[in-house]
PDB file of all heavy atoms in Angstrom:
ATOM      1  N   TYR A 376      -1.168  -1.635  -9.638  1.00 98.00           N
ATOM      2  CA  TYR A 376      -0.671  -1.165 -10.936  1.00 98.00           C
ATOM      3  C   TYR A 376      -0.872  -2.237 -12.000  1.00 98.00           C
ATOM      4  O   TYR A 376      -0.547  -3.413 -11.790  1.00 98.00           O
ATOM      5  CB  TYR A 376       0.818  -0.840 -10.801  1.00 98.00           C
ATOM      6  CG  TYR A 376       1.513  -0.430 -12.082  1.00 98.00           C
ATOM      7  CD1 TYR A 376       1.126   0.703 -12.785  1.00 98.00           C
ATOM      8  CD2 TYR A 376       2.584  -1.176 -12.570  1.00 98.00           C
ATOM      9  CE1 TYR A 376       1.781   1.082 -13.953  1.00 98.00           C
ATOM     10  CE2 TYR A 376       3.258  -0.807 -13.729  1.00 98.00           C
ATOM     11  CZ  TYR A 376       2.842   0.331 -14.416  1.00 98.00           C
ATOM     12  OH  TYR A 376       3.501   0.704 -15.564  1.00 98.00           O
ATOM     13  N   ASP A 377      -1.402  -1.817 -13.131  1.00 98.00           N
ATOM     14  CA  ASP A 377      -1.554  -2.673 -14.297  1.00 98.00           C
ATOM     15  C   ASP A 377      -0.375  -2.390 -15.219  1.00 98.00           C
ATOM     16  O   ASP A 377      -0.367  -1.389 -15.943  1.00 98.00           O
ATOM     17  CB  ASP A 377      -2.891  -2.361 -14.989  1.00 98.00           C
ATOM     18  CG  ASP A 377      -3.089  -3.141 -16.287  1.00 98.00           C
ATOM     19  OD1 ASP A 377      -2.162  -3.880 -16.697  1.00 98.00           O
ATOM     20  OD2 ASP A 377      -4.173  -3.004 -16.884  1.00 98.00           O
ATOM     21  N   SER A 378       0.628  -3.269 -15.211  1.00 96.00           N
ATOM     22  CA  SER A 378       1.848  -3.038 -15.987  1.00 96.00           C
ATOM     23  C   SER A 378       1.597  -3.160 -17.492  1.00 96.00           C
ATOM     24  O   SER A 378       2.306  -2.548 -18.293  1.00 96.00           O
ATOM     25  CB  SER A 378       2.946  -4.015 -15.555  1.00 96.00           C
ATOM     26  OG  SER A 378       2.536  -5.352 -15.745  1.00 96.00           O
ATOM     27  N   ARG A 379       0.604  -3.941 -17.868  1.00 97.00           N
ATOM     28  CA  ARG A 379       0.311  -4.129 -19.291  1.00 97.00           C
ATOM     29  C   ARG A 379      -0.225  -2.834 -19.907  1.00 97.00           C
ATOM     30  O   ARG A 379       0.134  -2.461 -21.029  1.00 97.00           O
ATOM     31  CB  ARG A 379      -0.685  -5.263 -19.472  1.00 97.00           C
ATOM     32  CG  ARG A 379      -0.875  -5.695 -20.912  1.00 97.00           C
ATOM     33  CD  ARG A 379      -1.919  -6.808 -20.981  1.00 97.00           C
ATOM     34  NE  ARG A 379      -1.529  -7.942 -20.136  1.00 97.00           N
ATOM     35  CZ  ARG A 379      -2.388  -8.864 -19.704  1.00 97.00           C
ATOM     36  NH1 ARG A 379      -3.673  -8.776 -20.017  1.00 97.00           N
ATOM     37  NH2 ARG A 379      -1.968  -9.859 -18.950  1.00 97.00           N
ATOM     38  N   ALA A 380      -1.094  -2.146 -19.171  1.00 97.00           N
ATOM     39  CA  ALA A 380      -1.697  -0.914 -19.684  1.00 97.00           C
ATOM     40  C   ALA A 380      -1.019   0.337 -19.127  1.00 97.00           C
ATOM     41  O   ALA A 380      -1.422   1.456 -19.469  1.00 97.00           O
ATOM     42  CB  ALA A 380      -3.187  -0.882 -19.340  1.00 97.00           C
ATOM     43  N   ASN A 381      -0.001   0.159 -18.265  1.00 96.00           N
ATOM     44  CA  ASN A 381       0.644   1.288 -17.584  1.00 96.00           C
ATOM     45  C   ASN A 381      -0.421   2.167 -16.932  1.00 96.00           C
ATOM     46  O   ASN A 381      -0.511   3.367 -17.160  1.00 96.00           O
ATOM     47  CB  ASN A 381       1.493   2.112 -18.561  1.00 96.00           C
ATOM     48  CG  ASN A 381       2.307   3.191 -17.845  1.00 96.00           C
ATOM     49  OD1 ASN A 381       2.633   3.070 -16.663  1.00 96.00           O
ATOM     50  ND2 ASN A 381       2.614   4.267 -18.556  1.00 96.00           N
ATOM     51  N   ASP A 382      -1.230   1.534 -16.086  1.00 98.00           N
ATOM     52  CA  ASP A 382      -2.374   2.194 -15.471  1.00 98.00           C
ATOM     53  C   ASP A 382      -2.445   1.833 -13.990  1.00 98.00           C
ATOM     54  O   ASP A 382      -2.090   0.716 -13.587  1.00 98.00           O
ATOM     55  CB  ASP A 382      -3.664   1.748 -16.182  1.00 98.00           C
ATOM     56  CG  ASP A 382      -4.857   2.611 -15.849  1.00 98.00           C
ATOM     57  OD1 ASP A 382      -4.682   3.657 -15.192  1.00 98.00           O
ATOM     58  OD2 ASP A 382      -5.982   2.242 -16.255  1.00 98.00           O
ATOM     59  N   ASP A 461      -5.903  -9.863 -10.025  1.00 96.00           N
ATOM     60  CA  ASP A 461      -4.891  -9.503 -11.009  1.00 96.00           C
ATOM     61  C   ASP A 461      -5.328  -8.228 -11.726  1.00 96.00           C
ATOM     62  O   ASP A 461      -6.380  -8.187 -12.368  1.00 96.00           O
ATOM     63  CB  ASP A 461      -4.719 -10.645 -12.017  1.00 96.00           C
ATOM     64  CG  ASP A 461      -3.554 -10.419 -12.953  1.00 96.00           C
ATOM     65  OD1 ASP A 461      -3.619  -9.473 -13.753  1.00 96.00           O
ATOM     66  OD2 ASP A 461      -2.582 -11.190 -12.895  1.00 96.00           O
ATOM     67  N   SER A 463      -4.092  -6.678 -14.338  1.00 97.00           N
ATOM     68  CA  SER A 463      -4.036  -6.690 -15.801  1.00 97.00           C
ATOM     69  C   SER A 463      -5.122  -7.570 -16.399  1.00 97.00           C
ATOM     70  O   SER A 463      -5.875  -7.153 -17.288  1.00 97.00           O
ATOM     71  CB  SER A 463      -2.662  -7.155 -16.278  1.00 97.00           C
ATOM     72  OG  SER A 463      -1.643  -6.256 -15.886  1.00 97.00           O
ATOM     73  N   ASP A 464      -5.232  -8.822 -15.916  1.00 95.00           N
ATOM     74  CA  ASP A 464      -6.233  -9.752 -16.439  1.00 95.00           C
ATOM     75  C   ASP A 464      -7.621  -9.490 -15.857  1.00 95.00           C
ATOM     76  O   ASP A 464      -8.623  -9.986 -16.386  1.00 95.00           O
ATOM     77  CB  ASP A 464      -5.828 -11.193 -16.148  1.00 95.00           C
ATOM     78  CG  ASP A 464      -4.566 -11.599 -16.900  1.00 95.00           C
ATOM     79  OD1 ASP A 464      -4.312 -11.017 -17.977  1.00 95.00           O
ATOM     80  OD2 ASP A 464      -3.836 -12.482 -16.416  1.00 95.00           O
ATOM     81  N   GLU A 465      -7.662  -8.750 -14.738  1.00 94.00           N
ATOM     82  CA  GLU A 465      -8.916  -8.411 -14.056  1.00 94.00           C
ATOM     83  C   GLU A 465      -9.709  -9.652 -13.677  1.00 94.00           C
ATOM     84  O   GLU A 465     -10.909  -9.771 -13.936  1.00 94.00           O
ATOM     85  CB  GLU A 465      -9.750  -7.446 -14.910  1.00 94.00           C
ATOM     86  CG  GLU A 465      -9.026  -6.121 -15.153  1.00 94.00           C
ATOM     87  CD  GLU A 465      -9.838  -5.105 -15.926  1.00 94.00           C
ATOM     88  OE1 GLU A 465     -10.975  -5.441 -16.335  1.00 94.00           O
ATOM     89  OE2 GLU A 465      -9.343  -3.977 -16.138  1.00 94.00           O
TER      90      GLU A 465
END
Side-chain angles (χ1 to χ4, degrees):
Y376 176 62
D377 176 356
S378 59
R379 190 181 303 160
N381 187 26
D382 194 8
D461 188 294
S463 296
D464 294 333
E465 298 183 357

